[in-house]
Amino acid sequence: LFGNAWMALIGKTKEQVEKEFSPLKIVWALVWGFVTSYGLARVIMWTGKATPIDGLLVGVLACVVFAVAAIAVNHTFEGRPVKLTAIYAAHHLVEFAAIGAVLGAWM
């Protein structure tokens, strides 16, 4: 959805991104996705509220206070554009909310 804007903000072309692609990057993304899912599952269990809405709210809260906050601090010190921070934050917000909602429904 924001691929072109993301590439412009990181200063790369589509060709450069495609050239740097490696299946190993997908494997690592899956590994860290499982880590995120496990962590959210634990937090949802600790709250004692396992519904899709509760899971979504836990996911959003965890994303904002951990992922987005860390990204924002890093980007501030690196001098990254606010739009790039917003793209990363939105990506993770959707990711955490979806994982939380699924886990809440499943548990």
Side-chain angles (χ1 to χ4, degrees):
L1 184 61
F2 296 105
N4 291 333
W6 171 74
M7 284 184 285
L9 290 166
I10 65 168
K12 293 191 177 189
T13 65
K14 184 176 182 180
E15 292 76 23
Q16 288 172 309
V17 171
E18 288 173 352
K19 184 179 178 182
E20 295 170 359
F21 175 77
S22 163
L24 189 57
K25 291 181 180 182
I26 300 297
V27 171
W28 278 112
L30 287 170
V31 167
W32 290 115
F34 283 118
V35 170
T36 299
S37 299
Y38 175 78
L40 284 176
R42 297 297 300 186
V43 173
I44 291 168
M45 285 174 34
W46 292 334
T47 66
K49 298 180 180 179
T51 69
I53 297 298
D54 289 332
L56 182 136
L57 293 174
V58 168
V60 168
L61 180 63
C63 181
V64 171
V65 300
F66 298 117
V68 173
I71 290 166
V73 169
N74 291 345
H75 283 199
T76 298
F77 280 96
E78 293 172 2
R80 303 267 183 153
V82 173
K83 288 182 181 180
L84 183 60
T85 305
I87 288 171
Y88 284 130
H91 165 79
H92 290 297
L93 191 62
V94 170
E95 176 188 22
F96 277 58
I99 292 169
V102 169
L103 289 171
W106 184 39
M107 300 170 83

